Coordinates of all heavy atoms in Angstrom, one line a residue:
M37 N 90.8 -205.7 -116.9 CA 90.6 -206.9 -117.7 C 90.1 -208.0 -116.7 O 90.2 -208.0 -115.6 CB 92.1 -207.3 -118.0 CG 92.3 -208.3 -119.0 SD 91.2 -208.2 -120.5 CE 92.2 -207.7 -121.7
V38 N 89.3 -208.8 -117.3 CA 88.7 -209.8 -116.6 C 89.5 -211.1 -116.4 O 90.1 -211.5 -117.5 CB 87.3 -210.3 -117.3 CG1 86.6 -211.5 -116.6 CG2 86.4 -209.1 -117.5
N39 N 89.6 -211.7 -115.3 CA 90.5 -212.8 -115.0 C 89.6 -214.1 -115.1 O 88.6 -214.2 -114.3 CB 91.1 -212.7 -113.7 CG 92.1 -213.8 -113.4 OD1 92.4 -214.6 -114.2 ND2 92.7 -213.8 -112.3
F40 N 89.7 -215.0 -116.1 CA 88.9 -216.1 -116.2 C 89.5 -217.3 -115.6 O 89.0 -218.4 -115.9 CB 88.7 -216.4 -117.7 CG 87.8 -215.3 -118.4 CD1 88.4 -214.4 -119.3 CD2 86.4 -215.3 -118.1 CE1 87.5 -213.4 -119.9 CE2 85.6 -214.4 -118.6 CZ 86.2 -213.5 -119.6
E41 N 90.7 -217.2 -114.8 CA 91.2 -218.4 -114.1 C 90.2 -218.8 -113.1 O 89.5 -218.0 -112.5 CB 92.5 -218.0 -113.5 CG 93.6 -217.7 -114.7 CD 94.9 -217.3 -114.0 OE1 95.1 -217.5 -112.9 OE2 95.8 -216.8 -114.8
K42 N 90.4 -220.0 -112.6 CA 89.6 -220.5 -111.5 C 90.1 -219.9 -110.3 O 91.3 -220.0 -109.8 CB 89.7 -222.0 -111.4 CG 88.9 -222.7 -110.4 CD 89.0 -224.1 -110.3 CE 88.2 -224.7 -109.2 NZ 88.5 -226.2 -109.1
P43 N 89.2 -219.2 -109.5 CA 89.7 -218.5 -108.3 C 89.9 -219.5 -107.2 O 89.2 -220.5 -107.0 CB 88.5 -217.5 -107.9 CG 87.3 -218.1 -108.5 CD 87.9 -218.8 -109.8
S44 N 90.9 -219.3 -106.3 CA 91.1 -220.1 -105.1 C 90.3 -219.6 -104.1 O 89.7 -218.7 -104.1 CB 92.6 -220.1 -104.8 OG 93.0 -218.8 -104.3
Y45 N 90.2 -220.5 -103.0 CA 89.3 -220.2 -101.9 C 89.9 -218.9 -101.2 O 89.2 -218.1 -100.6 CB 89.3 -221.4 -100.9 CG 88.6 -222.5 -101.5 CD1 89.2 -223.7 -101.8 CD2 87.2 -222.5 -101.7 CE1 88.5 -224.8 -102.2 CE2 86.5 -223.5 -102.2 CZ 87.2 -224.7 -102.4 OH 86.4 -225.7 -103.0
I46 N 91.2 -218.7 -101.2 CA 91.9 -217.7 -100.5 C 91.4 -216.4 -101.3 O 91.1 -215.3 -100.6 CB 93.3 -217.8 -100.5 CG1 93.8 -218.9 -99.6 CG2 94.1 -216.5 -100.0 CD1 95.2 -219.4 -99.8
D47 N 91.3 -216.4 -102.6 CA 90.9 -215.1 -103.3 C 89.5 -214.8 -103.1 O 89.1 -213.7 -102.9 CB 91.0 -215.4 -104.8 CG 92.5 -215.5 -105.3 OD1 93.4 -215.0 -104.5 OD2 92.8 -216.1 -106.3
I48 N 88.6 -215.8 -102.9 CA 87.2 -215.6 -102.7 C 87.0 -215.0 -101.2 O 86.3 -214.1 -101.1 CB 86.4 -217.0 -102.8 CG1 86.4 -217.5 -104.2 CG2 85.0 -216.8 -102.3 CD1 85.8 -218.8 -104.4
I49 N 87.8 -215.5 -100.2 CA 87.7 -215.1 -98.9 C 88.2 -213.6 -98.8 O 87.6 -212.7 -98.1 CB 88.5 -215.9 -97.9 CG1 87.7 -217.3 -97.8 CG2 88.6 -215.3 -96.6 CD1 88.5 -218.3 -97.0
I50 N 89.4 -213.3 -99.5 CA 89.8 -212.0 -99.5 C 88.9 -211.0 -100.2 O 88.6 -209.9 -99.7 CB 91.2 -211.9 -100.3 CG1 92.2 -212.6 -99.4 CG2 91.6 -210.5 -100.6 CD1 93.5 -212.8 -100.1
R51 N 88.2 -211.4 -101.3 CA 87.3 -210.5 -101.9 C 86.0 -210.3 -101.0 O 85.4 -209.2 -100.9 CB 86.8 -211.1 -103.3 CG 87.9 -210.9 -104.3 CD 87.4 -211.4 -105.6 NE 88.6 -211.3 -106.6 CZ 88.5 -211.8 -107.8 NH1 87.3 -212.3 -108.2 NH2 89.5 -211.7 -108.6
F52 N 85.6 -211.3 -100.3 CA 84.4 -211.2 -99.4 C 84.8 -210.3 -98.2 O 84.0 -209.5 -97.9 CB 84.2 -212.6 -98.9 CG 83.0 -212.6 -97.9 CD1 81.6 -212.4 -98.3 CD2 83.2 -212.7 -96.5 CE1 80.6 -212.4 -97.4 CE2 82.2 -212.6 -95.6 CZ 80.9 -212.5 -96.1
R53 N 86.0 -210.3 -97.7 CA 86.5 -209.4 -96.7 C 86.5 -208.0 -97.1 O 86.4 -207.1 -96.3 CB 87.8 -209.9 -96.1 CG 87.7 -211.3 -95.5 CD 87.4 -211.3 -94.0 NE 87.9 -210.3 -93.2 CZ 88.8 -210.6 -92.2 NH1 89.2 -211.7 -92.0 NH2 89.2 -209.6 -91.4
Q54 N 86.8 -207.8 -98.3 CA 86.9 -206.4 -98.9 C 85.5 -205.8 -99.1 O 85.4 -204.5 -99.2 CB 87.6 -206.4 -100.2 CG 89.1 -206.7 -100.1 CD 89.8 -206.8 -101.4 OE1 89.1 -206.9 -102.4 NE2 91.1 -206.8 -101.3
L55 N 84.5 -206.6 -99.1 CA 83.1 -206.0 -99.2 C 82.7 -205.2 -97.9 O 83.2 -205.4 -96.8 CB 82.1 -207.1 -99.4 CG 82.2 -207.8 -100.8 CD1 81.2 -209.0 -100.8 CD2 81.9 -207.0 -102.0
K56 N 81.8 -204.3 -98.1 CA 81.2 -203.6 -96.9 C 80.3 -204.5 -96.1 O 79.9 -205.5 -96.6 CB 80.4 -202.4 -97.4 CG 81.3 -201.3 -98.2 CD 80.4 -200.2 -98.6 CE 81.3 -199.3 -99.3 NZ 80.5 -198.1 -99.9
P57 N 80.1 -204.3 -94.8 CA 79.4 -205.2 -94.0 C 77.9 -205.4 -94.5 O 77.4 -206.5 -94.4 CB 79.3 -204.4 -92.7 CG 80.5 -203.6 -92.6 CD 80.8 -203.2 -94.0
M58 N 77.3 -204.4 -95.1 CA 76.0 -204.6 -95.7 C 76.0 -205.6 -96.8 O 75.2 -206.5 -97.0 CB 75.3 -203.3 -96.1 CG 73.9 -203.4 -96.6 SD 72.8 -204.1 -95.5 CE 72.4 -202.6 -94.4
Q59 N 77.0 -205.4 -97.7 CA 77.2 -206.3 -98.8 C 77.5 -207.8 -98.4 O 77.0 -208.7 -98.9 CB 78.3 -205.9 -99.8 CG 77.9 -204.5 -100.5 CD 79.1 -203.9 -101.2 OE1 80.2 -204.2 -100.9 NE2 78.8 -203.2 -102.2
Q60 N 78.3 -207.9 -97.3 CA 78.7 -209.2 -96.8 C 77.4 -209.9 -96.2 O 77.2 -211.1 -96.4 CB 79.7 -209.0 -95.7 CG 81.0 -208.7 -96.1 CD 82.1 -208.6 -95.0 OE1 81.7 -208.8 -93.7 NE2 83.3 -208.3 -95.2
S61 N 76.6 -209.1 -95.5 CA 75.4 -209.7 -94.9 C 74.4 -210.1 -96.0 O 73.7 -211.2 -95.9 CB 74.7 -208.8 -93.9 OG 74.3 -207.6 -94.5
A62 N 74.4 -209.4 -97.1 CA 73.5 -209.8 -98.2 C 74.0 -211.1 -98.9 O 73.2 -211.9 -99.1 CB 73.4 -208.7 -99.3
V63 N 75.3 -211.2 -99.1 CA 75.8 -212.4 -99.7 C 75.6 -213.6 -98.8 O 75.1 -214.7 -99.2 CB 77.3 -212.3 -100.0 CG1 78.0 -213.5 -100.3 CG2 77.5 -211.2 -101.1
V64 N 75.8 -213.4 -97.5 CA 75.7 -214.6 -96.5 C 74.2 -214.8 -96.3 O 73.8 -215.9 -96.2 CB 76.3 -214.1 -95.1 CG1 75.9 -215.1 -94.1 CG2 77.8 -214.0 -95.3
G65 N 73.2 -213.8 -96.5 CA 71.8 -214.1 -96.3 C 71.4 -214.9 -97.6 O 70.4 -215.7 -97.4
I66 N 71.8 -214.6 -98.8 CA 71.5 -215.3 -99.9 C 71.9 -216.8 -99.9 O 71.1 -217.7 -100.1 CB 72.0 -214.7 -101.2 CG1 71.2 -213.3 -101.5 CG2 71.8 -215.5 -102.4 CD1 71.9 -212.5 -102.5
I67 N 73.1 -217.0 -99.4 CA 73.6 -218.3 -99.2 C 72.8 -219.1 -98.2 O 72.4 -220.3 -98.4 CB 75.1 -218.4 -98.9 CG1 75.9 -217.8 -100.0 CG2 75.6 -219.7 -98.5 CD1 77.4 -217.5 -99.7
F68 N 72.5 -218.4 -97.0 CA 71.7 -219.0 -96.0 C 70.3 -219.3 -96.5 O 69.7 -220.4 -96.2 CB 71.6 -218.0 -94.8 CG 70.9 -218.7 -93.7 CD1 71.5 -219.5 -92.7 CD2 69.6 -218.3 -93.4 CE1 70.8 -220.0 -91.7 CE2 68.9 -218.8 -92.4 CZ 69.5 -219.7 -91.5
F69 N 69.7 -218.4 -97.4 CA 68.3 -218.7 -97.9 C 68.3 -220.0 -98.7 O 67.4 -220.8 -98.7 CB 67.9 -217.5 -98.7 CG 66.5 -217.7 -99.5 CD1 65.4 -217.7 -98.8 CD2 66.6 -217.9 -100.9 CE1 64.2 -217.8 -99.6 CE2 65.5 -218.1 -101.5 CZ 64.2 -218.2 -100.9
I70 N 69.4 -220.1 -99.6 CA 69.4 -221.2 -100.6 C 69.6 -222.6 -99.8 O 68.9 -223.5 -100.0 CB 70.5 -221.0 -101.5 CG1 70.2 -219.9 -102.5 CG2 70.8 -222.3 -102.3 CD1 71.4 -219.5 -103.4
L71 N 70.5 -222.6 -98.8 CA 70.7 -223.8 -98.0 C 69.5 -224.1 -97.1 O 69.1 -225.2 -97.0 CB 72.0 -223.6 -97.2 CG 73.3 -223.6 -97.9 CD1 74.4 -223.3 -96.9 CD2 73.5 -224.7 -98.7
N72 N 68.9 -223.0 -96.5 CA 67.7 -223.3 -95.7 C 66.6 -223.8 -96.5 O 65.8 -224.7 -96.1 CB 67.4 -222.0 -95.0 CG 66.7 -222.2 -93.6 OD1 66.6 -223.3 -93.2 ND2 66.0 -221.2 -93.2
S73 N 66.4 -223.2 -97.7 CA 65.2 -223.8 -98.6 C 65.4 -225.2 -98.9 O 64.5 -226.0 -99.0 CB 65.1 -222.9 -99.9 OG 64.8 -221.6 -99.5
L74 N 66.7 -225.5 -99.4 CA 67.0 -226.9 -99.7 C 66.8 -227.8 -98.5 O 66.3 -229.0 -98.7 CB 68.4 -227.1 -100.2 CG 68.6 -226.4 -101.5 CD1 70.2 -226.5 -101.9 CD2 67.9 -227.2 -102.7
Y75 N 67.2 -227.4 -97.3 CA 66.9 -228.2 -96.1 C 65.4 -228.5 -95.9 O 65.0 -229.7 -95.7 CB 67.5 -227.5 -94.9 CG 67.1 -228.1 -93.6 CD1 67.7 -229.4 -93.2 CD2 66.1 -227.5 -92.8 CE1 67.3 -229.9 -92.0 CE2 65.7 -228.1 -91.6 CZ 66.3 -229.3 -91.2 OH 65.9 -229.9 -90.0
Y76 N 64.6 -227.4 -96.0 CA 63.1 -227.6 -95.9 C 62.5 -228.5 -97.0 O 61.6 -229.3 -96.7 CB 62.4 -226.3 -95.8 CG 62.6 -225.6 -94.6 CD1 63.0 -224.2 -94.6 CD2 62.5 -226.1 -93.3 CE1 63.2 -223.5 -93.3 CE2 62.5 -225.5 -92.1 CZ 63.0 -224.1 -92.2 OH 63.1 -223.4 -90.9
I77 N 63.0 -228.3 -98.2 CA 62.4 -229.1 -99.2 C 62.9 -230.5 -99.3 O 62.0 -231.5 -99.3 CB 62.8 -228.5 -100.6 CG1 62.1 -227.2 -100.9 CG2 62.4 -229.4 -101.8 CD1 62.6 -226.3 -102.0
L78 N 64.1 -230.7 -99.1 CA 64.7 -232.2 -99.2 C 64.5 -233.0 -97.9 O 64.2 -234.2 -98.0 CB 66.2 -232.1 -99.6 CG 66.5 -231.5 -100.9 CD1 68.0 -231.4 -101.2 CD2 65.7 -232.3 -102.0
L79 N 64.8 -232.4 -96.8 CA 64.7 -233.2 -95.5 C 63.4 -233.1 -94.8 O 63.0 -234.1 -94.2 CB 65.9 -232.7 -94.6 CG 67.2 -233.0 -95.1 CD1 68.3 -232.4 -94.2 CD2 67.5 -234.5 -95.4
L80 N 62.6 -232.0 -94.9 CA 61.4 -231.9 -94.2 C 60.2 -232.1 -95.2 O 59.1 -232.0 -94.7 CB 61.3 -230.6 -93.4 CG 62.3 -230.3 -92.4 CD1 62.1 -229.0 -91.8 CD2 62.3 -231.4 -91.4
H81 N 60.5 -232.3 -96.4 CA 59.4 -232.6 -97.4 C 58.4 -231.4 -97.5 O 57.1 -231.8 -97.6 CB 58.8 -234.0 -97.2 CG 59.9 -235.0 -97.2 ND1 60.6 -235.4 -98.3 CD2 60.3 -235.8 -96.2 CE1 61.5 -236.4 -97.9 NE2 61.2 -236.7 -96.7
M82 N 58.7 -230.2 -97.5 CA 57.8 -229.2 -97.6 C 57.7 -228.7 -99.2 O 58.6 -229.0 -99.9 CB 58.2 -227.9 -96.8 CG 58.2 -228.1 -95.3 SD 58.6 -226.5 -94.5 CE 58.3 -226.9 -92.8
G83 N 56.7 -228.0 -99.4 CA 56.6 -227.5 -100.8 C 57.5 -226.4 -101.0 O 58.0 -225.7 -100.0
P84 N 57.8 -226.0 -102.3 CA 58.8 -225.0 -102.6 C 58.3 -223.6 -102.1 O 59.1 -222.8 -101.5 CB 58.9 -224.9 -104.1 CG 58.3 -226.2 -104.5 CD 57.4 -226.7 -103.5
V85 N 57.0 -223.3 -102.2 CA 56.5 -222.0 -101.8 C 56.5 -221.9 -100.3 O 57.0 -220.9 -99.7 CB 55.1 -221.8 -102.3 CG1 54.5 -220.4 -101.7 CG2 55.1 -221.9 -103.8
E86 N 56.1 -222.9 -99.5 CA 56.2 -223.0 -98.1 C 57.6 -222.8 -97.6 O 57.8 -222.1 -96.7 CB 55.4 -224.1 -97.7 CG 55.4 -224.2 -96.1 CD 54.6 -225.5 -95.6 OE1 54.5 -226.4 -96.3 OE2 54.2 -225.5 -94.4
S87 N 58.4 -223.6 -98.2 CA 59.9 -223.5 -97.8 C 60.5 -222.2 -98.0 O 61.3 -221.6 -97.2 CB 60.7 -224.6 -98.3 OG 60.8 -224.4 -99.8
A88 N 60.2 -221.6 -99.1 CA 60.7 -220.2 -99.5 C 60.2 -219.2 -98.5 O 61.0 -218.3 -98.1 CB 60.4 -219.9 -100.9
S89 N 59.0 -219.2 -98.1 CA 58.4 -218.3 -97.3 C 59.0 -218.4 -95.8 O 59.3 -217.3 -95.2 CB 56.9 -218.4 -97.1 OG 56.5 -219.6 -96.5
I90 N 59.3 -219.5 -95.4 CA 59.9 -219.7 -94.0 C 61.4 -219.3 -94.1 O 61.9 -218.7 -93.3 CB 59.8 -221.2 -93.6 CG1 58.4 -221.5 -93.3 CG2 60.6 -221.4 -92.3 CD1 58.1 -223.0 -93.0
S91 N 62.0 -219.6 -95.2 CA 63.4 -219.3 -95.4 C 63.6 -217.8 -95.6 O 64.7 -217.3 -95.1 CB 64.0 -220.0 -96.6 OG 63.9 -221.4 -96.5
V92 N 62.6 -217.1 -96.1 CA 62.9 -215.6 -96.2 C 63.0 -215.0 -94.8 O 63.9 -214.2 -94.5 CB 61.7 -215.0 -97.0 CG1 61.6 -213.5 -96.8 CG2 61.8 -215.4 -98.4
Y93 N 62.1 -215.4 -93.9 CA 62.1 -214.8 -92.6 C 63.4 -215.2 -91.8 O 64.0 -214.4 -91.2 CB 60.8 -215.3 -91.7 CG 59.6 -214.9 -92.3 CD1 58.6 -215.7 -92.8 CD2 59.3 -213.5 -92.5 CE1 57.4 -215.3 -93.3 CE2 58.1 -213.0 -93.1 CZ 57.2 -213.9 -93.4 OH 56.0 -213.5 -93.9
S94 N 63.8 -216.5 -92.0 CA 65.0 -217.0 -91.3 C 66.2 -216.2 -91.9 O 67.1 -215.8 -91.0 CB 65.2 -218.4 -91.5 OG 64.1 -219.1 -91.0
S95 N 66.3 -216.0 -93.3 CA 67.5 -215.3 -93.7 C 67.5 -213.9 -93.5 O 68.6 -213.3 -93.2 CB 67.4 -215.6 -95.3 OG 66.3 -214.9 -95.9
I96 N 66.3 -213.2 -93.3 CA 66.3 -211.9 -92.9 C 66.8 -211.6 -91.5 O 67.7 -210.8 -91.2 CB 65.0 -211.3 -93.0 CG1 64.5 -211.0 -94.5 CG2 64.8 -209.9 -92.3 CD1 63.2 -210.6 -94.7
V97 N 66.4 -212.5 -90.6 CA 66.9 -212.5 -89.2 C 68.4 -212.7 -89.2 O 69.2 -212.1 -88.4 CB 66.2 -213.5 -88.3 CG1 66.8 -213.6 -86.9 CG2 64.7 -213.1 -88.2
F98 N 68.9 -213.7 -89.9 CA 70.3 -214.1 -90.0 C 71.1 -212.9 -90.5 O 72.2 -212.6 -90.0 CB 70.5 -215.4 -90.8 CG 71.9 -215.8 -90.8 CD1 72.3 -216.7 -89.8 CD2 72.8 -215.6 -91.8 CE1 73.6 -217.1 -89.8 CE2 74.1 -216.1 -91.9 CZ 74.5 -216.9 -90.9
M99 N 70.7 -212.2 -91.6 CA 71.4 -211.0 -92.1 C 71.4 -209.9 -91.2 O 72.5 -209.3 -91.0 CB 70.6 -210.6 -93.4 CG 70.8 -211.4 -94.6 SD 70.3 -210.7 -96.2 CE 68.8 -210.0 -95.8
V100 N 70.3 -209.6 -90.4 CA 70.4 -208.6 -89.4 C 71.4 -208.9 -88.3 O 72.2 -208.0 -87.9 CB 68.9 -208.3 -88.9 CG1 69.0 -207.4 -87.6 CG2 68.1 -207.7 -90.0
V101 N 71.3 -210.1 -87.8 CA 72.3 -210.5 -86.8 C 73.7 -210.5 -87.3 O 74.6 -209.9 -86.5 CB 72.0 -211.9 -86.1 CG1 73.0 -212.4 -85.3 CG2 70.6 -211.8 -85.5
Y102 N 73.9 -211.0 -88.4 CA 75.3 -211.0 -89.0 C 75.8 -209.5 -89.2 O 77.0 -209.2 -88.9 CB 75.3 -211.7 -90.4 CG 76.6 -211.8 -91.0 CD1 77.5 -212.8 -90.7 CD2 77.1 -210.8 -91.9 CE1 78.8 -212.9 -91.2 CE2 78.4 -210.9 -92.5 CZ 79.2 -211.9 -92.1 OH 80.4 -211.9 -92.6
Y103 N 74.9 -208.6 -89.7 CA 75.3 -207.2 -89.9 C 75.8 -206.6 -88.6 O 76.8 -206.0 -88.5 CB 74.3 -206.4 -90.6 CG 74.4 -205.0 -90.7 CD1 75.4 -204.5 -91.7 CD2 73.9 -204.1 -89.9 CE1 75.7 -203.2 -91.9 CE2 74.2 -202.7 -90.0 CZ 75.1 -202.3 -91.0 OH 75.4 -201.0 -91.1
F104 N 74.8 -206.7 -87.6 CA 75.2 -206.0 -86.3 C 76.3 -206.6 -85.6 O 77.2 -206.0 -84.9 CB 73.9 -206.0 -85.5 CG 72.9 -204.9 -85.9 CD1 71.7 -205.3 -86.3 CD2 73.3 -203.6 -86.0 CE1 70.7 -204.4 -86.7 CE2 72.4 -202.7 -86.4 CZ 71.1 -203.0 -86.9
T105 N 76.5 -207.9 -85.8 CA 77.7 -208.5 -85.2 C 78.9 -208.1 -85.8 O 80.0 -207.8 -85.2 CB 77.6 -210.1 -85.3 OG1 76.4 -210.5 -84.6 CG2 78.8 -210.8 -84.6
T106 N 78.9 -208.0 -87.2 CA 80.1 -207.5 -87.9 C 80.5 -206.1 -87.5 O 81.7 -205.8 -87.3 CB 79.8 -207.6 -89.5 OG1 79.5 -208.9 -89.8 CG2 81.1 -207.2 -90.2
I107 N 79.5 -205.2 -87.4 CA 79.7 -203.9 -87.0 C 80.3 -203.7 -85.6 O 81.2 -203.0 -85.4 CB 78.4 -203.0 -87.1 CG1 77.9 -202.9 -88.5 CG2 78.5 -201.6 -86.6 CD1 78.9 -202.2 -89.4
F108 N 79.8 -204.5 -84.7 CA 80.3 -204.6 -83.3 C 81.8 -205.1 -83.3 O 82.5 -204.4 -82.6 CB 79.4 -205.5 -82.5 CG 79.9 -205.7 -81.1 CD1 79.6 -204.6 -80.2 CD2 80.5 -206.7 -80.6 CE1 80.1 -204.7 -78.8 CE2 80.9 -207.0 -79.4 CZ 80.7 -206.0 -78.5
V109 N 82.0 -206.1 -84.1 CA 83.4 -206.7 -84.0 C 84.4 -205.6 -84.7 O 85.5 -205.4 -84.2 CB 83.4 -208.0 -84.7 CG1 85.0 -208.4 -85.0 CG2 82.8 -209.0 -84.0
V110 N 84.0 -205.0 -85.8 CA 84.8 -204.0 -86.4 C 85.1 -202.8 -85.5 O 86.2 -202.3 -85.4 CB 84.2 -203.5 -87.8 CG1 84.9 -202.3 -88.3 CG2 84.2 -204.7 -88.8
K111 N 84.1 -202.3 -84.8 CA 84.3 -201.2 -83.9 C 85.2 -201.6 -82.8 O 86.0 -200.8 -82.4 CB 83.0 -200.7 -83.4 CG 82.2 -199.8 -84.3 CD 80.9 -199.3 -83.7 CE 80.2 -198.4 -84.8 NZ 79.0 -197.8 -84.2
K112 N 85.1 -202.9 -82.2 CA 85.9 -203.3 -81.2 C 87.4 -203.4 -81.7 O 88.4 -203.1 -80.9 CB 85.5 -204.6 -80.7 CG 84.3 -204.6 -79.7 CD 84.7 -203.8 -78.4 CE 83.5 -203.9 -77.5 NZ 83.8 -203.2 -76.2
N113 N 87.6 -203.9 -82.8 CA 88.9 -204.0 -83.4 C 89.6 -202.6 -83.6 O 90.8 -202.5 -83.5 CB 89.0 -204.8 -84.7 CG 88.7 -206.3 -84.4 OD1 88.9 -206.8 -83.3 ND2 88.4 -207.0 -85.5
M114 N 88.8 -201.6 -84.1 CA 89.3 -200.3 -84.3 C 89.7 -199.6 -83.0 O 90.7 -199.0 -82.9 CB 88.3 -199.4 -85.0 CG 87.9 -200.0 -86.4 SD 88.5 -199.2 -87.8 CE 88.4 -197.5 -87.5
Q115 N 88.8 -199.9 -81.9 CA 89.2 -199.4 -80.6 C 90.4 -200.0 -80.0 O 91.2 -199.4 -79.4 CB 88.1 -199.5 -79.7 CG 86.8 -198.6 -79.9 CD 85.6 -198.9 -79.1 OE1 85.6 -199.8 -78.3 NE2 84.6 -198.1 -79.3
A116 N 90.6 -201.3 -80.3 CA 91.7 -202.1 -79.8 C 93.0 -201.5 -80.4 O 94.1 -201.5 -79.8 CB 91.6 -203.5 -79.9
G117 N 92.9 -201.0 -81.7 CA 94.1 -200.7 -82.4 C 94.5 -199.3 -81.9 O 95.7 -199.0 -82.0
S118 N 93.7 -198.5 -81.4 CA 94.1 -197.2 -80.9 C 93.7 -197.1 -79.4 O 92.8 -196.4 -79.0 CB 93.3 -196.1 -81.7 OG 91.9 -196.2 -81.5
S119 N 94.6 -197.8 -78.6 CA 94.3 -197.7 -77.2 C 94.6 -196.3 -76.6 O 95.5 -195.6 -77.1 CB 95.2 -198.7 -76.5 OG 96.5 -198.4 -76.6
K120 N 93.9 -195.9 -75.6 CA 94.0 -194.6 -75.0 C 94.8 -194.7 -73.7 O 95.1 -193.7 -73.0 CB 92.7 -194.0 -74.7 CG 91.9 -193.8 -75.9 CD 90.4 -193.3 -75.7 CE 89.7 -193.2 -77.0 NZ 88.3 -192.8 -76.8
G121 N 95.4 -195.8 -73.3 CA 96.1 -196.0 -72.1 C 97.6 -195.7 -72.4 O 98.0 -195.1 -73.5
P122 N 98.4 -195.8 -71.3 CA 99.9 -195.5 -71.6 C 100.5 -196.4 -72.5 O 100.1 -197.5 -72.8 CB 100.4 -195.8 -70.1 CG 99.5 -196.7 -69.5 CD 98.1 -196.4 -70.1
K123 N 101.5 -195.8 -73.2 CA 102.2 -196.6 -74.3 C 103.1 -197.6 -73.6 O 103.4 -197.7 -72.4 CB 103.1 -195.6 -75.0 CG 102.3 -194.4 -75.7 CD 101.4 -195.0 -76.8 CE 100.6 -194.0 -77.4 NZ 99.3 -194.4 -77.9
K124 N 103.6 -198.5 -74.5 CA 104.3 -199.7 -74.0 C 105.5 -199.3 -73.1 O 105.7 -200.0 -72.0 CB 104.9 -200.5 -75.1 CG 105.3 -201.8 -74.8 CD 105.7 -202.6 -76.1 CE 106.1 -204.1 -75.7 NZ 106.2 -204.8 -76.9
G125 N 106.2 -198.3 -73.4 CA 107.5 -197.9 -72.7 C 107.1 -197.2 -71.4 O 108.0 -197.0 -70.5
L126 N 105.9 -196.7 -71.2 CA 105.5 -195.8 -70.1 C 104.7 -196.5 -69.1 O 104.1 -195.9 -68.2 CB 104.8 -194.6 -70.7 CG 105.5 -193.8 -71.7 CD1 104.6 -192.6 -72.1 CD2 106.7 -193.1 -71.0
R127 N 104.5 -197.8 -69.1 CA 103.8 -198.5 -68.2 C 104.6 -198.6 -66.9 O 105.7 -198.7 -66.8 CB 103.4 -199.9 -68.7 CG 102.5 -200.0 -69.8 CD 102.1 -201.4 -70.2 NE 101.5 -201.4 -71.5 CZ 101.4 -202.4 -72.3 NH1 102.1 -203.5 -72.1 NH2 100.8 -202.3 -73.5
N128 N 103.8 -198.7 -65.7 CA 104.3 -198.8 -64.4 C 105.3 -197.8 -64.0 O 106.3 -198.0 -63.3 CB 104.9 -200.2 -64.2 CG 103.9 -201.3 -64.4 OD1 102.7 -201.1 -64.0 ND2 104.3 -202.4 -65.0
K129 N 105.1 -196.6 -64.5 CA 106.1 -195.5 -64.1 C 105.4 -194.3 -63.6 O 104.3 -194.0 -63.7 CB 106.8 -194.9 -65.3 CG 107.9 -196.0 -65.8 CD 108.6 -195.4 -66.9 CE 109.7 -196.4 -67.3 NZ 110.6 -195.9 -68.3

């Protein structure tokens, strides 16, 4: 069933965190593209085509960096959860 209620910010963040890293980077890349295009158009007074072409390159770089950073952080968190050292009660013995 479709929920037509206004979603809260918490629900949006939870749904975003449930996405796969590639999907997260695509969503963030689209948002970055839109904001970057508006910046170039409104503040730097560029044309729409010129601002879009510059924003595409910037958003692709941003998506790649975001994706690899997310993968790196997820792997570090998974390794931290399963430590290979001595257990808590067996330290210093």
Side-chain angles (χ1 to χ4, degrees):
M37 192 52 103
V38 178
N39 187 5
F40 289 109
E41 295 178 15
K42 182 179 178 186
S44 67
Y45 292 114
I46 296 171
D47 294 335
I48 293 172
I49 291 173
I50 289 172
R51 288 185 185 175
F52 178 77
R53 299 270 317 243
Q54 290 174 346
L55 295 174
K56 295 179 182 177
M58 183 59 81
Q59 294 170 333
Q60 287 181 3
S61 63
V63 169
V64 171
I66 291 170
I67 293 170
F68 185 81
F69 173 77
I70 292 169
L71 293 175
N72 204 14
S73 295
L74 289 174
Y75 169 76
Y76 285 130
I77 291 171
L78 298 176
L79 295 177
L80 298 181
H81 305 292
M82 291 184 177
V85 175
E86 186 180 13
S87 68
S89 66
I90 294 173
S91 296
V92 165
Y93 297 122
S94 300
S95 64
I96 288 172
V97 169
F98 188 79
M99 286 189 320
V100 169
V101 170
Y102 183 87
Y103 175 75
F104 285 118
T105 305
T106 303
I107 294 297
F108 178 74
V109 168
V110 167
K111 283 187 180 181
K112 284 291 186 183
N113 286 343
M114 300 254 321
Q115 289 175 355
S118 60
S119 66
K120 296 178 183 172
K123 301 296 180 208
K124 189 172 185 178
L126 301 175
R127 292 183 190 156
N128 299 326
K129 288 188 179 184

